[in-house]
């Protein structure tokens, strides 16, 4: 919807149309901001997972750990196998990976999220710019409409 | 040529109301379709990423599926085929929805045109009535009574 306003001179639109375009821009901005923060949350998760891999090494083989069964309950355990981890690849599938492979997996995901975030960031900047221009034009149109209303009111009361 | 008998006026406002209702209903249906398409787009994304991961797997890789609280070992080829099939299904569904959305957009636009046309008609009738009033040059209250009668 918002793409249409690129070809149209905004100054030629009536005030209510301008407001409609503004609403749709606001909506777009809201959606983009939401997906941006969603991407940030996902990236943070992958970063944590990648950092956790650092602890899965030969030095820690056989050491005691506390396993979170839920976020508030832990059971003691031992690190039996430090050569492999299970990675969630999505839609309920998990893949057994070596530590370097798992690191590569998280790097891949982080790289992907980074490029997505940058794309969304650019879109947000463009929309913000469009929104600023629109607000300015809408403000001018509003002022003009009010001036005209005053003029006609003055004319009809004097006649 | 006032064209504004009370019956016609009532008929016109009823027409406008039903046309607006039609437009709203179509718009709601369109929104639903767009929403469900977005859901499929998200699933397509996730499944595409899983497929990309599966394509990178070594031949001896072990793939599990989370079923309830248990990880169940899967046959890798079977898992690949499953994702493939799901991608096909999702793509087909999205194609179907795209068609439905285009059709519904047409319905919404037609309904919008109808509303605009009726509003235009109402506006013109009003103008004609005003002209008639001015020509007859009656006091306002008498006019009002005549219209309301």
């Amino acid at each position: 919807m918002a793409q249409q306003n690129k070809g149209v001179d905004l100054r030629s639109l009536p005030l209510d149309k301008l407001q409609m375009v503004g609403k749709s821009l606001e909506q777009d901005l809201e959606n983009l901001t939401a997906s941006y923060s969603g991407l940030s949350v996902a990236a943070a998760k992958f970063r944590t997972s990648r950092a956790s891999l650092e602890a899965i090494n030969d030095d820690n083989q056989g050491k005691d750990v506390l396993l979170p069964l839920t976020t508030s309950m832990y059971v003691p355990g031992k690190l039996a196998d430090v050569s492999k981890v299970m990675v969630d690849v999505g839609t309920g599938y998990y893949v057994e990976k070596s530590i370097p492979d798992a690191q590569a997996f998280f790097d891949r995901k982080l790289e992907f999220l980074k490029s997505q975030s940058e794309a969304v960031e650019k879109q947000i900047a463009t929309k913000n710019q469009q929104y600023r221009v629109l607000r300015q034009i809408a403000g001018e149109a509003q002022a003009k409409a009010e001036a005209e209303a005053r003029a006609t009111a003055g004319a009809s009361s004097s006649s | 040529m006032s064209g504004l008998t009370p019956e016609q006026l009532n008929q016109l406002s009823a027409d406008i109301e039903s046309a607006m209702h039609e437009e709203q209903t179509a718009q709601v249906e369109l929104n639903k379709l767009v929403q469900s398409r977005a859901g499929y787009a998200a699933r397509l994304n996730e499944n595409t990423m899983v497929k990309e991961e599966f394509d990178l797997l070594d031949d001896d890789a072990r793939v599990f599926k989370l079923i309830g609280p248990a990880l169940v070992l899967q046959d890798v080829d079977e898992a690949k085929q499953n994702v493939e099939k799901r991608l096909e299904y999702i793509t087909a569904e999205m194609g179907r929805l795209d068609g439905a959305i285009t059709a519904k957009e047409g319905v919404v636009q037609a309904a919008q045109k109808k509303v605009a046309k009726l509003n235009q008609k109402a506006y013109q009738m009003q103008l004609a009535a005003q002209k008639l009033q001015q020509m007859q040059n009656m006091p306002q209250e008498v006019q009002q009574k005549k219209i309301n009668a």
Side-chain angles (χ1 to χ4, degrees), chain A residues 103-132:
Chain A
Q103 280 174 342
F105 169 84
F106 289 125
D107 287 341
R108 215 158 44 232
K109 291 283 162 191
L110 283 167
E111 191 53 46
F112 171 74
L113 287 176
K114 202 177 136 204
S115 69
Q116 294 285 306
S117 296
E118 277 165 7
V120 173
E121 227 174 345
K122 255 188 212 154
Q123 283 186 49
I124 289 178
T126 323
K127 291 272 175 202
N128 259 326
Q129 174 64 21
Q130 286 175 351
Y131 188 61
R132 265 199 300 278

Side-chain angles (χ1 to χ4, degrees), chain A residues 1 4 84 86-97 101 104-106 108-109 112-113 116, chain B residues 43 45-47 49-50 53-54 56-58 61-66 71 74 78-79 82-83 86:
Chain A
M1 246 190 265
Q4 286 174 351
K84 283 191 170 108
M86 206 75 84
V87 177
D88 181 358
V89 295
T91 67
Y93 282 114
Y94 287 70
V95 178
E96 198 176 60
K97 283 183 183 295
D101 281 357
F105 169 84
F106 289 125
R108 215 158 44 232
K109 291 283 162 191
F112 171 74
L113 287 176
Q116 294 285 306
Chain B
R43 283 182 61 193
N45 252 330
E46 193 180 2
N47 278 285
M49 285 199 281
V50 175
E53 279 307 316
F54 279 178
L56 290 168
L57 290 182
D58 296 330
R62 294 212 294 164
V63 173
F64 297 79
K65 187 156 178 54
L66 187 65
L71 283 173
Q74 304 284 300
E78 214 171 276
N82 262 334
V83 174
R86 236 182 300 172

Side-chain angles (χ1 to χ4, degrees), chain B residues 2 129-139 143 146:
Chain B
S2 82
Q130 271 171 10
K131 260 188 200 155
L132 196 73
Q133 275 181 15
Q134 277 164 6
M135 267 167 27
Q136 291 173 338
N137 204 16
M138 282 186 192
Q143 284 287 332
K146 260 204 152 172

